[in-house]
Amino acid sequence: MFSLATIGCLLHQLNNGLTLVLLPSQLAPVIAMQVWVSVGSADESAKQAGLSHVMEHMLFKGTERRGVGEVSRDIESAGGEINAWTSRDNTVFHLVMPSRLADVGIDVLSDVLQNSLFDTDELEREREVILEEIRQGKDEPLRALAQNMFSGAFEHHPYRNPVIGNEATVEKFTRGDLVRFRDRWYGARNMALVVSGDFDPDTMKSKLAKSFAGLSGGPNPRRRRAKATAPVGKALLSTGALSHSQVALAFRAPRVDSPDCAALDLLTIALGQGESSLLSSELVRERELCRSAYSYLHALQDHSLVVVGAASDADKMSKALPHLGRLLQRVRTELISAEDLAKAKRAIEADKVYQQQTAEGAAQVAGSYLALTGDADFERSYLRRISSLTAEDLRDVALRVFDPKSMNLAALVPPNKALLRSAGRVTAAGRMMLLIQKGVASKPAKQKSNARKQPTVLRHQFDNGMNVLIKRDTSVPLVAARAIWSGGTLREQAANSGISSIMAQVITQGCGRMSAEEIIEEIDSTAASLSGFSGRNSFGLQAEWLAGDWKRGLDLLSECMLSPHFDAAEVERSKRQQLSRLQSQADSPSHQVFRLFQETLFRKHAYRRNSLGTADSIARVDAEAVRRHYQRHYPVSALTLSIVGDVDPEILLARIESRFASEPSTQRPERPAATEMLASRPASKREVYGYMDREQAHLVVGFPGLRINDRDRFALEVLTTILGGQGGRLFLELRDRQSLAYQVGAYSLEGLDPGYVAIYLSCAPDKIEDAIRSIHTEIEDLLAHGVTPEELARSKHYLVGTHEIALQRRASVAAALAFHKAYGLDFGAHTQYAKRVDAVRNADVMRVIRRIFDLELAVTATVSPLAASPEAERRMRGVVRKTRKTPKARRTRGKRAGSKR
């Protein structure tokens, strides 16, 4: 995708001083041209108010070669569009058209900038158009609100003036005024021409130099003398023909190239852009005091402006204002959440992407940065600055900028309302200001964080046994779903091992009346996701949609579960893909060492098998086998469906009921019992070896583990965290102190049946024996002395923090609800995770150490180069098992919401 950050911009200055900014790309056969003139309403004298805007209009009213209307006609005839705008700092003329006809655009722009006539009759006609525009603005109350906002914030700076001017000055402009204004401001040295799109830079530069050679250099670029004085808070109120009240707060801020401006950009997004923003969630959704609430950064050349506003029913505004003030105080004193900060950064990144999808968008980005900072490529450094900002940076800039003493208020209220009846406009505006300042000055209410109140979960079980869990979350316009059955590897036999993984791939490849291609098109067209999954303990589907598409998404998800095709061609395709993945795993020594470990630990239990199966078992699977397996083991009556997101729970439940409630209640067969799972107590140490021609050796020392519902599960997570990680015992001892290994970690994996606890590392082959001894030493030290209070506290903080991070996504919450329910646990267990982890004491960890780390039950598996050491060579004559070409099972470190088991 085209981006200034990757393509870059080419700058050149013509002999007359005209700056060229060239942005070549080949995204589409389109070209955009924009002329940025450094003059706007802030450059006008009092008598010139509105002259920049009149000048913009008149440049379209005929040249020596083109009559009235022919400027637009020529561009439109070439398949393009041309227009212009005026701001406080700039006047911009822009066109976009097919690149093959770029010469027409160059000719038109050069013609209007060098040869406009400013015909007197046309000026009179256009004057009436502009006066009508001014009068129309008086019928738009929000324009008055915006003007009052600028007037208060820039009382002593020309930014206070309306861009469009006023009737008194516009009525007096003459042709001579336009000519003098052109001569002063429309010189080449005061312009930049930005060209973006499909063109050759050298050819374009040559054409532009020739076409604009006649443009006079003009005076030196502007040096605006007016400087804004220190901000002093003002309150201005006006009435308008509207049924509700509006308030806008304006805070002066630095230029866009100031470090503070990037922080303010992020802050205003988190504070007031989107339904999940702080202002919207508090004032609109939760308290219902406002119809809307917003904040944004208005970037200007001399100063920027931060705007915070709200619209409210007139009788609620007085209640809303103190809350608005308190929210400003909150961001001045508290850190925004990591989720909100990340969301704001994504919004800026997305805006960049959306802008630069088009030639005109890319041109506007470069032109605006050039006008604001003097650097057309400023976006590059600006985005770097954005990415480096922290929540602390946003809090600090909020404390400086959201100063209640320098806050400017502009209010718009319906006429004859109580606020005006009780006092004059100035007094009423002052009262509104005081209400907000009172909130800003107040001490923030004690609260744990800025996290939104968690909604409750709607639970329902249909008569056929299907369970439904729905949690409404309107903070982001997304909906996530998880449909889960317990099963997966546990419902397979050795003969059909891997069938669940094949089934997970093909269940979304055709259903009902839709082919695989039609499903893919439906998913792509709605920017959704839909896929199947299979693990050691479960099988199911996962999906996400934009909130506006939830009905289409749910219908497709339902159809995949109720009437999957399991087409023979798709099954064969999936088998080929699965064999390819098996081969990739077979080439990985880390996969191989875990395969050795699991095959030895779990003996004949299903957990010993690879979830992808074997080449032989995959070969035995066909479409009919997949269909029978699905119908036998995964009826609707055993399904758990959880949905989390921005959707009404009752409406959603009714639609789910219409699709699933009439399905029959079917008893599925019991899964194989957990027999022959573990050796009772082996007569000798269990050590297994595999050999691969690799530089490093790979080692697993593992033990029988726990079930997912075991009371010691949380203490075990604490223990593996103490052992693993960069601050863990194993890392510090084996890597930092002894330099035995580069990669080392500890893992626990629980399931519906007991899982395992494993220590894994990779090291040089000649260090493998030392590594094993060091692991045993660490285990023996744990058995003798337990863990320290500092280790316990660090581990618990880490687990709780990473759990909270994982639950930021709606998909993770949906998965947690569904997995816990499907596994027979409390569906809301994820909400109690922090409490359960925090309750772990040293004695609990010690109990788990003694329960797990029985060295007589340990399995030691290694994969290394053949005869990597004398000890390995000796052991090859004993109990040696060469690895089969099968991959390891999936490993996880502890459990997180949404993990597949």
Side-chain angles (χ1 to χ4, degrees):
M1 180 171 289
F2 171 70
S3 169
L4 286 178
T6 56
I7 301 298
C9 60
L10 308 175
L11 273 74
H12 181 74
Q13 192 169 58
L14 301 182
N15 292 333
N16 58 6
L18 178 64
T19 298
L20 303 182
V21 181
L22 306 180
L23 306 167
S25 74
Q26 295 181 337
L27 291 178
V30 174
I31 194 167
M33 304 180 197
Q34 298 181 0
V35 177
W36 289 71
V37 187
S38 296
V39 62
S41 61
D43 299 293
E44 301 164 349
S45 66
K47 293 182 179 180
Q48 292 177 323
L51 189 53
S52 300
H53 180 243
V54 174
M55 186 75 175
E56 171 214 313
H57 279 242
M58 289 303 298
L59 259 67
F60 287 86
K61 295 303 172 182
T63 69
E64 295 174 0
R65 294 193 290 116
R66 289 181 170 87
V68 176
E70 292 183 5
V71 170
S72 298
R73 184 200 63 190
D74 286 357
I75 296 297
E76 291 173 0
S77 297
E81 297 176 340
I82 187 170
N83 214 322
W85 79 78
T86 304
S87 69
R88 287 174 167 80
D89 291 318
N90 299 99
T91 306
V92 182
F93 302 86
H94 55 97
L95 63 82
V96 59
M97 62 194 310
S99 55
R100 67 181 183 278
L101 298 174
D103 290 351
V104 176
I106 295 172
D107 183 59
V108 168
L109 279 180
S110 63
D111 190 24
V112 299
L113 290 171
Q114 298 177 84
N115 305 309
S116 287
L117 296 174
F118 304 129
D119 180 79
T120 302
D121 292 338
E122 284 303 319
L123 174 59
E124 291 304 316
R125 282 189 280 270
E126 199 62 24
R127 188 196 316 274
E128 287 304 311
V129 172
I130 295 170
L131 289 172
E132 187 60 34
E133 187 177 354
I134 293 173
R135 289 189 285 268
Q136 179 181 328
K138 295 179 180 180
D139 292 333
E140 298 176 3
L142 292 181
R143 280 199 186 185
L145 180 73
Q147 184 54 46
N148 283 346
M149 181 179 69
F150 274 91
S151 297
F154 297 105
E155 184 178 9
H156 302 290
H157 187 281
Y159 284 162
R160 68 183 181 276
N161 300 324
V163 172
I164 201 172
N166 57 71
E167 291 173 299
T169 54
V170 171
E171 285 175 345
K172 296 178 181 178
F173 292 147
T174 65
R175 182 181 185 278
D177 294 326
L178 290 172
V179 171
R180 286 188 292 273
F181 194 83
R182 178 197 62 190
D183 293 344
R184 168 63 186 91
W185 297 108
Y186 278 69
R189 283 192 287 269
N190 204 45
M191 294 183 185
L193 174 55
V194 184
V195 184
S196 173
D198 180 22
F199 62 89
D200 176 74
D202 292 333
T203 303
M204 178 59 65
K205 184 167 62 177
S206 176
K207 290 181 178 180
L208 294 176
K210 180 179 180 180
S211 295
F212 286 89
L215 184 64
S216 170
N220 290 328
R222 66 153 176 238
R223 292 292 185 269
R224 192 176 287 150
R225 296 179 180 178
K227 299 296 181 183
T229 58
V232 178
K234 294 192 66 176
L236 298 173
L237 185 143
S238 58
T239 60
L242 71 172
S243 61
H244 61 280
S245 298
Q246 292 264 359
V247 65
L249 310 179
F251 301 86
R252 283 243 299 274
R255 287 166 47 99
V256 74
D257 52 1
S258 161
D260 279 353
C261 214
L264 287 168
D265 203 356
L266 281 176
L267 178 64
T268 54
I269 292 173
L271 178 64
Q273 295 184 31
E275 292 185 9
S276 64
S277 66
L278 188 61
L279 291 175
S280 183
S281 61
E282 291 266 348
L283 298 180
V284 180
R285 295 201 315 275
E286 294 182 15
R287 300 186 184 277
E288 298 184 359
L289 292 174
C290 296
R291 296 183 177 188
S292 63
Y294 57 88
S295 63
Y296 62 88
L297 176 69
H298 190 113
L300 296 163
Q301 189 174 60
D302 292 350
H303 298 272
S304 296
L305 202 63
V306 175
V307 181
V308 180
S312 175
D313 293 338
D315 58 350
K316 293 183 178 180
M317 182 60 82
S318 60
K319 296 179 181 179
L321 294 180
H323 287 292
L324 178 59
R326 280 190 281 273
L327 293 175
L328 293 179
Q329 178 69 358
R330 184 186 299 182
V331 297
R332 296 176 80 227
T333 57
E334 300 179 18
L335 300 179
I336 69 168
S337 69
E339 179 183 14
D340 287 343
L341 178 61
K343 193 188 310 177
K345 290 183 177 182
R346 286 196 300 271
I348 289 178
E349 178 67 18
D351 184 63
K352 180 200 76 170
V353 172
Y354 288 133
Q355 283 277 8
Q356 298 187 2
Q357 288 183 108
T358 64
E360 57 269 34
Q364 185 170 342
V365 168
S368 61
Y369 278 127
L370 180 65
L372 290 169
T373 70
D375 180 6
D377 206 15
F378 181 74
E379 181 191 45
R380 193 190 300 251
S381 58
Y382 188 75
L383 292 175
R384 284 198 299 267
R385 188 176 296 166
I386 288 288
S387 66
S388 68
L389 288 169
T390 65
E392 288 81 2
D393 296 325
L394 271 61
R395 179 194 58 194
D396 293 346
V397 77
L399 185 61
R400 292 193 297 273
V401 173
F402 290 152
D403 183 352
K405 295 180 180 179
S406 61
M407 176 178 67
N408 293 274
L409 179 145
L412 180 66
V413 300
N416 301 321
K417 290 299 177 182
L419 192 65
L420 287 177
R421 288 198 299 268
S422 61
R425 291 188 181 186
V426 175
T427 305
R431 286 179 58 193
M432 298 175 79
M433 176 84 88
L434 288 173
L435 287 172
I436 298 173
Q437 290 175 334
K438 180 180 178 182
V440 177
S442 66
K443 293 182 179 180
K446 291 183 179 180
Q447 47 190 310
K448 296 180 180 179
S449 68
N450 285 343
R452 316 294 186 246
K453 181 180 179 181
Q454 293 297 315
T456 57
V457 176
L458 185 154
R459 296 168 287 170
H460 188 80
Q461 185 179 58
F462 297 132
D463 291 341
N464 59 15
M466 175 182 170
N467 287 290
V468 178
L469 303 168
I470 302 173
K471 182 176 183 179
R472 188 173 193 174
D473 185 341
T474 60
S475 60
V476 178
L478 292 172
V479 177
R482 290 294 184 273
I484 295 174
W485 290 268
S486 64
T489 303
L490 287 179
R491 288 193 168 269
E492 297 176 350
Q493 304 291 337
N496 68 353
S497 177
I499 192 172
S500 299
S501 293
I502 294 171
M503 191 167 66
Q505 294 179 64
V506 298
I507 194 169
T508 59
Q509 300 301 307
C511 63
R513 297 181 179 180
M514 299 182 71
S515 65
E517 291 74 18
E518 289 170 330
I519 291 176
I520 292 171
E521 177 62 29
E522 172 71 5
I523 293 170
D524 289 346
S525 66
T526 55
S529 64
L530 173 65
S531 62
F533 63 84
S534 179
R536 299 163 74 241
N537 303 278
S538 64
F539 169 83
L541 292 92
Q542 53 195 5
E544 284 188 273
W545 324 284
L546 295 175
D549 297 320
W550 74 264
K551 292 181 181 178
R552 293 171 64 180
L554 177 63
D555 288 348
L556 179 57
L557 174 66
S558 304
E559 199 73 9
C560 285
M561 289 187 284
L562 295 174
S563 56
H565 290 175
F566 296 131
D567 180 76
E570 296 295 339
V571 170
E572 292 304 313
R573 191 200 319 272
S574 175
K575 289 169 61 177
R576 292 192 294 271
Q577 294 170 348
Q578 196 141 310
L579 287 170
S580 178
R581 287 197 295 273
L582 271 177
Q583 184 57 53
S584 297
Q585 290 184 348
D587 293 335
S588 167
S590 61
H591 281 278
Q592 292 291 352
V593 75
F594 267 91
R595 290 300 321 134
L596 270 178
F597 164 69
Q598 289 176 307
E599 289 172 358
T600 305
L601 178 68
F602 291 115
R603 294 168 58 85
K604 296 181 180 179
H605 188 273
Y607 286 168
R608 78 183 305 273
R609 297 195 293 268
N610 189 339
S611 62
L612 294 183
T614 66
D616 290 341
S617 65
I618 291 172
R620 285 191 284 269
V621 173
D622 59 20
E624 183 57 31
V626 172
R627 193 173 295 112
R628 286 196 308 268
H629 190 77
Y630 181 70
Q631 292 171 349
R632 176 176 171 81
H633 293 283
Y634 300 102
V636 166
S637 55
L639 171 65
T640 297
L641 174 62
S642 70
I643 298 183
V644 177
D646 187 7
V647 61
D648 185 284
E650 296 294 341
I651 296 175
L652 175 58
L653 180 62
R655 197 171 189 91
I656 295 172
E657 184 175 16
S658 69
R659 300 305 304 267
F660 291 95
S662 61
E663 292 295 312
S665 177
T666 305
Q667 185 70 30
R668 66 174 178 168
E670 293 293 328
R671 67 179 178 88
T675 56
E676 293 291 336
M677 183 174 179
L678 305 169
S680 55
R681 187 165 290 274
S684 60
K685 292 181 179 180
R686 291 181 293 177
E687 298 174 345
V688 288
Y689 305 90
Y691 303 99
M692 297 181 69
D693 186 14
R694 298 291 189 273
E695 293 296 321
Q696 281 198 312
H698 295 257
L699 166 70
V700 170
V701 178
F703 304 84
L706 307 179
R707 283 186 167 88
I708 195 172
N709 61 352
D710 196 290
R711 70 185 183 98
D712 283 334
R713 178 166 62 95
F714 298 98
L716 177 57
E717 287 197 49
V718 170
L719 173 60
T720 54
T721 304
I722 289 172
L723 284 171
Q726 294 190 17
R729 285 193 177 194
L730 295 171
F731 191 93
L732 293 175
E733 182 63 31
L734 275 71
R735 173 171 164 160
D736 287 355
R737 293 179 185 142
Q738 299 186 43
S739 301
L740 287 175
Y742 172 74
Q743 185 178 4
V744 59
Y747 310 90
S748 68
L749 186 65
E750 294 79 56
L752 292 174
D753 290 334
Y756 64 76
V757 176
I759 295 169
Y760 163 80
L761 63 79
S762 59
C763 63
D766 60 355
K767 294 182 178 180
I768 195 75
E769 298 299 334
D770 290 338
I772 294 172
R773 282 193 294 270
S774 294
I775 289 173
H776 286 188
T777 298
E778 290 301 312
I779 291 173
E780 289 165 355
D781 184 72
L782 282 172
L783 288 166
H785 305 292
V787 301
T788 67
E790 293 76 18
E791 288 176 320
L792 182 66
R794 178 189 65 84
S795 175
K796 292 197 289 187
H797 287 316
Y798 174 83
L799 288 170
V800 171
T802 53
H803 180 76
E804 291 172 347
I805 292 170
L807 288 180
Q808 293 180 101
R809 297 180 59 83
R810 287 53 241 115
S812 297
V813 178
L817 290 169
F819 274 114
H820 284 117
K821 182 65 177 176
Y823 291 165
L825 305 174
D826 177 9
F827 69 86
H830 65 286
T831 65
Q832 300 297 312
Y833 182 85
K835 181 179 179 181
R836 297 293 298 273
V837 168
D838 190 59
V840 173
R841 297 293 177 259
N842 206 302
D844 302 317
V845 177
M846 194 70 217
R847 181 176 64 251
V848 171
I849 291 172
R850 292 168 177 161
R851 182 179 175 187
I852 295 295
F853 290 136
D854 184 344
L855 289 173
E856 292 187 5
L857 293 179
V859 171
T860 301
T862 59
V863 169
S864 63
L866 187 63
S869 68
E871 182 70 8
E873 187 174 352
R874 179 186 64 78
R875 291 180 178 181
M876 285 179 62
R877 294 191 292 270
V879 184
V880 176
R881 296 179 56 211
K882 293 185 179 180
T883 60
R884 294 196 296 261
K885 291 296 182 178
T886 52
K888 79 170 184 68
R890 179 177 176 270
R891 314 192 298 278
T892 63
R893 179 169 183 253
K895 295 170 295 300
R896 297 291 180 267
S899 63
K900 304 181 187 75
R901 301 183 180 92

